[in-house]
Amino acid sequence: MAETSNQTQFSLKLSRTTAAMLFLILIFAFATVAYAKFAGLILFSAIVVFGGVSLFYHSVKLRTIGMVAIILLSILNIAVNGIHFGIDFSGGTKIPIILDKSVDQQTMSKIIDTIKSRASVLGLTEVKVKAIGDNEISLELANTTEDQISTIEKSVSQQGVFLGIVDGKVALSGDDLYSQTIRLRVPGSTPGRDWEVFFTMTNDGARTFASTVKGKPRFPVYMFLDRPTDSIIVLSREKLLSSGQGAVSAVSTTAPATLGDYDTINAAKSALKLENNNIEMYFVENILQNTTNL
Amino acid sequence: MLNINPGVDFRGGTLIKLTLDQPIDSNSLRLNLEKEGLIATVNSYPVSNSYIAEIELGQSQDLIKAEELKDNFTKILNEQILIESSSNVSSNGTLSAGTQRQTLDQLANQMFVLSKTDKKANEIANLNLLNKEFSIAYTKVYDNYQKSISTPIQKYVKYTSISIHTVSPVLKGKFIEKAEQAVFYSAIVSIIFVFFFFRTFVPSLAVVLGAASDVIIALGGMGLFGIPFTLPTLAALLMLMGFSLDTDILLTMRMLRREGDPRDKAFDAFKTGTTMSLAAIFAFLVLFLISLYTHISTYYEISAVALFGLVGDLFATWGINAILLLNHVESKQKSGQNGRN
């Protein structure tokens, strides 16, 4: 007579589908942790996958696993990314900015970059700027004082400062242009020219321009918007030399076909020259070798 | 007419909330603010172990004037720029084409006076510089307004924290425009969805009427109890449309798509639908009670509007829609039977 064991034998038998589900859960969980930036998209994909499984497989066990998986992945999402508290809970200031007219995406992107850089100049690095539609911008500042809010409001409402510089002197400024007359011509419409911008100057502006450029034919006009003051530029010498030659040749009809490194670097320095306000240029390679500026 | 009180978001103005350690006399604060030229309504409440004071100020006349001046100035400036840039200058330096420079100068001077800036427009020949000075003066009007509020409050009240919500005339216009768009598009999409889903006129109309009734009942409740119409209440009204469509579609699906006696089907739908509505009512009731205790206006506004709408939904859906649908289904059955006979 065979003896029967009183011990309960425990065996875990997983069906293929259940094992596949558990494997998927692990994949999604790993992806949520490894790619936290895309956790929302991963969670959405999980909902689609497990939701689809629930539709096609009429097993209560699978549907329960799917539901639990979505809940656990959501909790993991919160654990990895945290909850983004609005200013009602975190404190701060929200400033909605409404533009005078609608702008395209490129212009909106430039406006946002300008606001961010002006805010960072004021020492406000935790500014959140985002576009809403095509004529509204939302500005959110973490805890700030009333004076800081006032300063940023003034800074944001200021128009950009446009300068046209020839041989280190201001030949043209934004105050000398009639803003409504600025027109961009489609690139390629004039043979031999990449792009063209037309504008009309005031009489005073025209006289200033004429007197500044007198005796300087074919000198390039370097145009800046919000040209930084008290700044330096740090760039790679290799990148400047590889891209600079084409740029210099394009603006100078008398430049030789191939330029030496010295000419390219000189042209770059010339573009940054302005009486009493030069922007110094430093090469990354030299800084790394602990040398001074050129 | 619906006597709905627009909140700061749609009326413009400033809402200030102060957290205080000690209670204040609302009336004397109101009088002190009046002495400083601020006409305000002041309310204060105890909240757990502190106090909240709410100060509401109407739209500033200076801001309204500044916006008007800015609109007119910008319009005329653009025309003047085109005139100056395209006209020929005569030998004595004067413009040969017509000019609106005088009107522009008058507007600019009014803005300088409003902002208490010591500048004269006729001393600024360059249009771009004039525009720049005008913009600076415009920003200064807002700055002065903020200071005119914060300085007296700091003088008369010792607060632990402050929240200032200012809605300018331009922003108020923007909110109203967005609210209109939200309501319009929500209504259109809901109507299209309902008619497309059911493809029969009477049931679809009943569903749409149900949603509209809920919103109107909620608006009526807001008018009756003085709940201000703000961005949160607008969101709550749009949410109500969803709740209403929920129960109406449940009723309509059961009545149209299931087999059985219409009255039995209606009663089954009633049992399920009222359970759903009561659950939502209890949830919002809890939020409402919390809002009364904490004096958080957003919770109060959303929960009050939701409660009015959900209670109204019980009558609109089961008192009106159900009857309409029952009539429709029974008359279809009768005409079907008559046809067979």
Side-chain angles (χ1 to χ4, degrees):
Chain A
M1 218 160 146
E3 284 185 357
T4 54
S5 169
N6 287 330
Q7 284 179 324
T8 310
Q9 284 190 332
F10 179 75
S11 67
L12 180 65
K13 269 189 187 172
L14 288 175
S15 67
R16 273 191 205 167
T17 329
T18 309
M21 288 278 279
L22 292 173
F23 180 67
L24 271 175
I25 292 168
L26 284 172
I27 296 279
F28 278 119
F30 172 75
T32 304
V33 173
Y35 301 100
K37 207 171 150 192
F38 300 106
L41 193 59
I42 293 165
L43 179 63
F44 180 74
S45 310
I47 291 168
V48 169
V49 166
F50 293 120
V53 165
S54 301
L55 273 175
F56 291 109
Y57 288 89
H58 298 291
S59 156
V60 172
K61 192 163 99 178
L62 285 180
R63 284 177 176 179
T64 311
I65 292 172
M67 193 180 72
V68 169
I70 289 167
I71 292 170
L72 288 177
L73 285 169
S74 305
I75 294 171
L76 186 63
N77 199 343
I78 294 170
V80 163
N81 284 320
I83 294 176
H84 172 66
F85 289 102
I87 56 168
D88 291 322
F89 294 104
S90 62
T93 302
K94 187 170 177 179
I95 303 172
I97 300 168
I98 298 166
L99 305 176
D100 282 340
K101 54 182 179 181
S102 301
V103 297
D104 58 33
Q105 207 180 352
Q106 209 179 2
T107 310
M108 181 61 88
S109 181
K110 283 191 184 127
I111 294 172
I112 288 175
D113 287 341
T114 306
I115 292 173
K116 280 183 182 165
S117 68
R118 287 184 186 182
S120 70
V121 162
L122 297 169
L124 298 165
T125 49
E126 284 180 23
V127 172
K128 285 181 199 161
V129 188
K130 63 177 183 195
I132 301 169
D134 58 6
N135 72 340
E136 198 178 326
I137 295 170
S138 171
L139 195 62
E140 267 186 39
L141 306 149
N143 290 320
T144 43
T145 61
E146 215 175 290
D147 287 337
Q148 281 177 317
I149 295 166
S150 177
T151 310
I152 190 123
E153 278 175 349
K154 280 187 192 124
S155 165
V156 159
S157 60
Q158 261 172 14
Q159 291 171 357
V161 177
F162 170 77
L163 292 175
I165 297 169
V166 174
D167 192 27
K169 290 198 173 90
V170 175
L172 178 63
S173 75
D175 293 341
D176 299 325
L177 305 183
Y178 287 113
S179 57
Q180 297 294 311
T181 62
I182 299 170
R183 298 275 179 274
L184 175 69
R185 189 169 276 185
V186 173
S189 54
T190 307
R193 296 214 173 113
D194 285 338
W195 53 265
E196 290 167 296
V197 174
F198 296 89
F199 51 78
T200 305
M201 288 198 280
T202 61
N203 287 330
D204 287 341
R207 283 188 209 105
T208 308
F209 184 82
S211 64
T212 310
V213 304
K214 191 176 176 185
K216 295 172 186 171
R218 300 191 187 90
F219 270 63
V221 181
Y222 297 109
M223 299 193 185
F224 294 87
L225 190 60
D226 281 348
R227 185 178 183 277
T229 55
D230 297 328
S231 306
I232 61 169
I233 286 182
V234 179
L235 70 165
S236 159
R237 185 190 165 102
E238 195 189 315
K239 274 196 183 149
L240 172 68
L241 294 176
S242 64
S243 60
Q245 293 213 348
V248 174
S249 302
V251 298
S252 171
T253 54
T254 57
T258 55
L259 292 167
D261 291 352
Y262 181 76
D263 295 315
T264 306
I265 291 168
N266 247 0
K269 281 168 76 179
S270 169
L272 299 171
K273 201 170 71 174
L274 177 63
E275 52 192 358
N276 305 321
N277 199 355
N278 288 339
I279 297 176
E280 298 298 334
M281 193 169 71
Y282 295 81
F283 289 140
V284 169
E285 293 86 345
N286 292 346
I287 290 171
L288 292 174
Q289 286 173 8
N290 286 321
T291 55
T292 55
N293 65 311
L294 298 170
Chain B
M1 288 289 284
L2 289 172
N3 186 26
I4 294 164
N5 169 29
V8 161
D9 296 321
F10 295 112
R11 183 170 34 82
T14 302
L15 179 62
I16 301 161
K17 285 186 191 168
L18 308 167
T19 310
L20 314 157
D21 286 332
Q22 305 291 332
I24 54 158
D25 180 354
S26 306
N27 202 37
S28 73
L29 177 60
R30 186 182 58 79
L31 291 169
N32 284 331
L33 290 175
E34 248 182 68
K35 269 190 254 169
E36 305 285 341
L38 296 172
I39 311 298
T41 52
V42 182
N43 294 304
S44 68
Y45 323 95
V47 174
S48 55
N49 52 3
S50 63
Y51 299 87
I52 286 181
E54 274 185 8
I55 303 169
E56 202 170 318
L57 296 150
Q59 190 61 274
S60 157
Q61 292 304 313
D62 282 356
L63 296 188
I64 295 173
K65 182 78 185 157
E67 292 299 334
E68 265 174 39
L69 287 171
K70 182 170 176 279
D71 283 341
N72 291 335
F73 183 86
T74 308
K75 195 174 140 200
I76 296 173
L77 177 74
N78 291 338
E79 288 167 8
Q80 182 65 12
I81 285 173
L82 289 171
I83 289 170
E84 280 192 17
S85 62
S86 61
S87 66
N88 294 316
V89 178
S90 62
S91 55
N92 64 0
T94 53
L95 293 171
S96 55
T99 177
Q100 297 190 69
R101 183 60 205 247
Q102 211 172 1
T103 317
L104 216 54
D105 284 353
Q106 278 168 5
L107 291 169
N109 284 332
Q110 285 180 49
M111 184 62 92
F112 293 147
V113 165
L114 198 61
S115 62
K116 301 182 180 64
T117 309
D118 186 22
K119 286 208 187 293
K120 296 262 182 303
N122 54 358
E123 291 167 5
I124 306 168
N126 186 302
L127 277 183
N128 289 320
L129 285 173
L130 181 66
N131 188 24
K132 216 178 266 188
E133 291 300 332
F134 185 91
S135 296
I136 292 170
Y138 171 77
T139 310
K140 202 166 169 228
V141 171
Y142 275 85
D143 223 15
N144 291 344
Y145 173 68
Q146 296 289 349
K147 287 199 175 84
S148 72
I149 296 171
S150 58
T151 309
I153 287 176
Q154 280 168 9
K155 185 174 161 188
Y156 294 112
V157 186
K158 280 191 174 30
Y159 53 83
T160 51
S161 71
I162 182 168
S163 152
I164 303 176
H165 178 57
T166 299
V167 177
S168 66
V170 172
L171 198 57
K172 166 196 123 182
K174 200 77 190 164
F175 284 153
I176 290 172
E177 189 192 311
K178 283 190 179 176
E180 285 168 357
Q181 281 175 359
V183 168
F184 178 74
Y185 288 121
S186 309
I188 292 286
V189 169
S190 305
I191 290 168
I192 290 172
F193 170 75
V194 164
F195 275 90
F196 179 73
F197 192 71
F198 292 114
R199 278 167 283 187
T200 43
F201 183 72
V202 169
S204 307
L205 186 67
V207 169
V208 169
L209 279 175
S213 308
D214 286 1
V215 170
I216 289 167
I217 291 169
L219 284 170
M222 284 167 66
L224 197 60
F225 292 98
I227 295 169
F229 186 64
T230 59
L231 288 173
T233 54
L234 176 67
L237 287 168
L238 292 174
M239 193 171 64
L240 264 182
M241 281 173 67
F243 277 121
S244 173
L245 287 175
D246 225 3
T247 45
D248 288 327
I249 287 175
L250 167 81
L251 168 67
T252 312
M253 289 289 282
R254 293 261 177 113
M255 294 291 285
L256 294 183
R257 306 274 165 100
R258 280 195 183 181
E259 297 296 325
D261 179 58
R263 290 177 186 238
D264 289 339
K265 285 190 287 186
F267 188 63
D268 276 339
F270 171 74
K271 282 190 289 189
T272 312
T274 44
T275 310
M276 279 162 53
S277 296
L278 285 171
I281 287 170
F282 277 119
F284 279 108
L285 191 60
V286 168
L287 183 63
F288 182 73
L289 294 171
I290 290 171
S291 73
L292 289 178
Y293 177 67
T294 58
H295 291 286
I296 295 176
S297 57
T298 308
Y299 295 172
Y300 172 76
E301 287 160 13
I302 290 176
S303 57
V305 167
L307 280 172
F308 288 130
L310 285 166
V311 168
D313 183 55
L314 288 172
F315 296 99
T317 305
W318 310 110
I320 301 171
N321 277 11
I323 310 298
L324 278 172
L325 272 170
L326 205 51
N327 281 343
H328 171 72
V329 170
E330 283 182 340
S331 66
K332 264 180 85 176
Q333 268 188 346
K334 268 188 199 156
S335 58
Q337 278 172 357
N338 289 341
R340 279 199 292 274
N341 292 340

